[in-house]
Amino acid sequence: EKISEEHQSKENLLAENQILKKQKAELIVGFKKQLKLIDILKRQKMHFEAAKMLSFTQEEFMKALDLGKP
């Protein structure tokens, strides 16, 4: 009977270990997806700031053209 209990305990621990390994793998996948999203957001922010700077430059250029008209 004691051997049976130990065997059952070992099986429970192995099953729990497998569940924990699966959860760990899911967490790693989740973290990698988050890192990709962070990278995409950083790129979007950079493009937005560049577009804003180009807009200012374009406005200044248009003003310079208007000032140059007789």
Side-chain angles (χ1 to χ4, degrees):
E1 186 177 311
K2 186 174 183 180
I3 294 173
S4 177
E5 287 177 16
E6 288 178 4
H7 182 68
Q8 184 65 33
S9 175
K10 179 182 175 184
E11 292 295 322
N12 289 342
L13 288 173
L14 289 173
E16 185 178 346
N17 192 20
Q18 290 298 321
I19 291 170
L20 290 173
K21 284 182 181 180
K22 184 178 177 183
Q23 288 176 345
K24 178 183 173 186
E26 289 173 357
L27 281 172
I28 290 172
V29 168
F31 286 135
K32 287 181 180 180
K33 286 182 180 180
Q34 283 181 337
L35 289 174
K36 286 181 183 179
L37 287 173
I38 289 169
D39 187 47
I40 290 169
L41 288 172
K42 285 180 180 179
R43 289 184 197 178
Q44 285 179 344
K45 181 181 176 189
M46 181 184 66
H47 287 297
F48 176 74
E49 289 174 355
K52 198 161 76 169
M53 291 301 295
L54 284 174
S55 173
F56 290 141
T57 304
Q58 185 179 13
E59 288 174 12
E60 292 171 3
F61 179 71
M62 294 303 287
K63 285 179 186 177
L65 288 179
D66 287 341
L67 290 176
K69 288 184 180 178

